[in-house]
Amino acid sequence: MLVPLLVPLLLPFAAPPSARRALARLDPVSALWLLTGSALVLAGACVAALGALVLTGLLRFPLFAALGELVHPLRTPSDLLILPAASLATGAFAVGAWALGRSAVRQVGAFRAARTQAEARPAVGDLCVIDSPHPDAYALPGRPQRIVVTTGMLRSLGPAEREALFAHERAHNRGGHHYFLAAAEIAAHCHPALRGLRTDIRFAAERAADEAAAGAVGDRHLTAKAIARAALAGH
């Protein structure tokens, strides 16, 4: 009984090498969808396997023993195996839930702060400029969508490079990349091995935005130069 439940917990370790091959062979948008879908499927399988282990452990207690008659496939004759496994699964659930909750609170707080800051500034279309010497630019989803850029970043780029950067950030909003990144974040807290897949999903989202920006400005060299200069300025 334990072996089928261990398989979903071991599969995520094979995900990072497969993700790198997908990034190399597929176009960025296809890779983004494939990697995100795979991350969610693997995360769901891990949660289901851990839940089954926890439930099986609970069935060993008199309070829940009557439920054992309803879920025969979860019954096992060996308490020496199932009780330690159920304890580990319960601990993994608790740690994962705590880490995910902490990450959600932190990121929601950062989003609200960014939204408040953007709304306090006048916008030209979807572009909002913040007076700051630190070079930074990012897409701000929501209603209305915003492209936020600091004066420090504007000073780091030429006019054509700025347009390429704006196209890159707009591609993030149009592509709904924040949904993919949120799914990757959730999956990463379901299994440690999926953290590497989270990094690959972020990279795929950036590549997809790069390709969209190159198509918008009609110059791949300019787009690559603008993104590279923006990244160097930000660091």
Side-chain angles (χ1 to χ4, degrees), residues 110-192:
F111 172 77
R112 288 180 175 175
R115 171 62 68 177
T116 300
Q117 187 180 36
E119 291 177 348
R121 300 283 181 174
V124 180
D126 63 345
L127 180 63
C128 176
V129 178
I130 295 177
D131 187 13
S132 172
H134 176 65
D136 196 11
Y138 52 89
L140 191 61
R143 294 186 179 180
Q145 295 179 342
R146 288 282 185 260
I147 302 302
V148 181
V149 62
T150 65
T151 52
M153 179 62 79
L154 293 178
R155 285 193 292 267
S156 301
L157 304 175
E161 293 170 340
R162 295 173 190 171
E163 292 303 320
L165 178 63
F166 298 158
H168 173 94
E169 300 300 342
R170 289 190 178 102
H172 281 312
N173 275 336
R174 285 198 302 270
H177 293 167
H178 52 287
Y179 293 118
F180 294 93
L181 299 182
E185 188 71 20
I186 293 172
H189 286 88
C190 294
H191 195 289

Side-chain angles (χ1 to χ4, degrees), residues 27-178:
D27 65 272
V29 175
S30 298
L32 182 60
W33 278 97
L34 176 62
L35 296 184
T36 305
S38 299
L40 290 176
V41 169
L42 290 171
C46 290
V47 171
L50 290 174
L53 287 172
V54 172
L55 179 58
T56 305
L58 289 176
L59 295 179
R60 295 306 186 187
F61 295 94
L63 181 63
F64 302 96
L67 295 176
E69 299 301 321
L70 302 177
V71 277
H72 288 289
L74 295 180
R75 299 178 68 182
T76 175
S78 177
D79 288 350
L80 294 177
L81 290 176
I82 198 59
L83 290 180
S87 299
L88 289 174
T90 302
F93 255 130
V95 172
W98 175 81
L100 179 59
R102 183 182 178 186
S103 175
V105 169
R106 183 176 65 252
Q107 295 194 36
V108 168
F111 172 77
R112 288 180 175 175
R115 171 62 68 177
T116 300
Q117 187 180 36
E119 291 177 348
R121 300 283 181 174
V124 180
D126 63 345
L127 180 63
C128 176
V129 178
I130 295 177
D131 187 13
S132 172
H134 176 65
D136 196 11
Y138 52 89
L140 191 61
R143 294 186 179 180
Q145 295 179 342
R146 288 282 185 260
I147 302 302
V148 181
V149 62
T150 65
T151 52
M153 179 62 79
L154 293 178
R155 285 193 292 267
S156 301
L157 304 175
E161 293 170 340
R162 295 173 190 171
E163 292 303 320
L165 178 63
F166 298 158
H168 173 94
E169 300 300 342
R170 289 190 178 102
H172 281 312
N173 275 336
R174 285 198 302 270
H177 293 167
H178 52 287

